[in-house]
């Protein structure tokens, strides 16, 4: 088992100031697509699909354009140490951060799947028309000009997305773990904004700029960063990647 000290860090980091806790979402494109469609996303334009590997053969199978990438990965003390060092370095050296990046904090336990999805979709509202009056339409409108903390609180107050999240969890294929079980996997999103690749993780203090990218190379560039996560944790198999990409017939 994972040591208690680590579980405490995890609990503190996922439930900062929040006492709500959700059941975890499965990294399963069918579940994710039903979920986003229900909340107002046009899955006839872009939908989630599996990325089976970070190798070229797998990336060639993903329909284009690919507009966001979501990774599920195991949190361990090593990954936490790296994450804190990376954030400290950025605080010291600075980074390019576009004002157009939609970024929010996570205050609900196990909500990282939903937040990974919101980070993906929230950075595409200039490209995609949401169903008028839908949850996403209202949420992203209400988020405008709000801070990452305020958007995190906005999610915490929403019963509607909590219900939809619950329905999405139930439609998954794996058995739902007990709510008190410590979940040690976490979702992060990768998006392109104003020519840069950003890693968006609601547990971090800010988006992480991973350098230049384009809409054409987003999937390849995100997978390079994902490979660096994998290289820091050799032998671990619990990495899952999904891409938000053009809906193929």
């Amino acid at each position: 088992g994972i040591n208690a000290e680590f579980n405490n860090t995890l609990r503190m980091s996922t439930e900062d100031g929040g006492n709500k806790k959700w059941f975890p979402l499965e990294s399963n494109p069918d579940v994710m697509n039903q979920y986003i469609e229900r909340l107002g996303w046009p899955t006839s334009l872009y939908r989630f699909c599996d990325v089976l590997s970070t190798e070229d053969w797998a990336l060639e199978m993903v329909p284009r354009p690919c507009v966001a990438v979501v990774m599920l990965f195991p949190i361990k003390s090593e990954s936490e140490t790296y994450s804190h060092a990376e954030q400290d370095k950025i605080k010291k050296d600075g980074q390019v951060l576009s004002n157009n990046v939609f970024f929010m904090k996570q205050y609900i336990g196990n909500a990282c799947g939903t937040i990974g999805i919101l980070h993906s979709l929230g950075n595409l509202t200039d490209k995609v028309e949401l169903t008028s009056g839908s949850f996403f339409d209202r949420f992203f409108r209400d988020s405008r000009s709000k801070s990452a903390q305020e958007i995190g609180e906005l999610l915490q107050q929403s019963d509607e997305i909590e219900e939809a999240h619950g329905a999405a969890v139930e439609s998954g294929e794996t058995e739902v773990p007990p709510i008190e079980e410590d979940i040690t996997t976490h979702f992060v999103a990768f998006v392109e904004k104003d020519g840069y690749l950003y890693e968006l993780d609601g547990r971090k203090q800010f988006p992480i700029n991973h350098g230049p990218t384009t809409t054409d190379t987003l999937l390849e560039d995100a997978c390079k960063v994902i490979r660096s996560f994998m290289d820091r944790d050799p032998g671990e198999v619990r990495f899952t990647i999904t891409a938000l990409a053009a809906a193929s017939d």
Side-chain angles (χ1 to χ4, degrees):
I2 293 179
N3 61 42
E5 181 190 6
F6 172 62
N7 278 338
N8 287 338
T9 335
L10 189 65
R11 195 172 298 117
M12 280 163 19
S13 56
T14 50
E15 296 182 10
D16 286 351
N19 19 19
K20 262 192 187 180
K21 191 172 183 182
W22 292 356
F23 288 106
L25 194 66
E26 209 175 286
S27 182
N28 170 332
D30 293 338
V31 169
M32 292 159 80
N33 288 327
Q34 280 174 358
Y35 182 30
I36 61 178
E37 193 170 295
R38 174 177 172 169
L39 294 170
W41 180 262
T43 50
S44 56
L45 287 180
Y46 296 106
R47 52 195 305 127
F48 284 104
C49 64
D50 282 314
V51 182
L52 300 173
S53 160
T54 59
E55 291 171 29
D56 290 346
W57 63 266
L59 305 190
E60 281 160 17
M61 292 166 68
V62 176
R64 304 300 165 119
C66 165
V67 290
V69 178
V70 176
M71 166 181 68
L72 179 72
F73 72 103
I75 302 179
K76 297 181 179 170
S77 50
E78 296 81 7
S79 61
E80 290 294 88
T81 304
Y82 179 85
S83 164
H84 291 305
E86 179 180 52
Q87 292 176 80
D88 289 344
K89 185 176 187 309
I90 291 170
K91 275 195 270 192
K92 188 166 128 272
D93 301 342
Q95 66 172 352
V96 173
L97 180 52
S98 162
N99 289 332
N100 296 321
V101 175
F102 169 83
F103 177 67
M104 64 185 290
K105 295 287 286 171
Q106 176 177 342
Y107 296 131
I108 304 168
N110 300 339
C112 57
T114 287
I115 288 172
I117 288 172
L118 289 170
H119 276 146
S120 302
L121 310 186
N123 282 293
L124 295 166
T125 52
D126 53 337
K127 295 188 178 82
V128 172
E129 197 170 328
L130 302 168
T131 306
S132 179
S134 65
F135 172 80
F136 286 148
D137 185 36
R138 299 191 314 272
F139 184 80
F140 291 129
R141 215 179 283 263
D142 291 346
S143 300
R144 277 185 204 149
S145 74
K146 282 191 166 56
S147 69
Q149 289 76 10
E150 288 167 333
I151 303 170
E153 285 158 13
L154 199 62
L155 183 73
Q156 214 175 353
Q157 292 152 12
S158 167
D159 294 331
E160 186 178 352
I161 195 160
E162 190 169 356
E163 282 165 29
H165 178 100
V169 166
E170 282 168 27
S171 69
E173 290 164 12
T174 48
E175 200 177 326
V176 178
I179 194 91
E180 64 280 356
E181 189 175 301
D182 282 311
I183 306 301
T184 55
T185 50
H186 185 65
F187 286 86
V188 296
F190 296 91
V191 302
E192 179 274 332
K193 208 64 172 172
D194 300 335
Y196 285 99
L197 172 68
Y198 289 98
E199 171 195 334
L200 305 173
D201 178 345
R203 294 165 65 252
K204 292 188 174 172
Q205 299 161 22
F206 35 73
I208 308 288
N209 182 331
H210 284 287
T213 191
T214 66
T215 42
D216 295 337
T217 60
L218 167 66
L219 177 61
E220 286 72 12
D221 293 336
C223 282
K224 282 180 197 145
V225 178
I226 290 171
R227 270 199 296 272
S228 68
F229 273 79
M230 293 173 163
D231 292 345
R232 287 193 291 273
D233 196 355
E236 173 59 68
V237 294
R238 290 174 299 162
F239 283 92
T240 315
I241 310 165
T242 50
L244 184 63
S248 52
D249 301 330

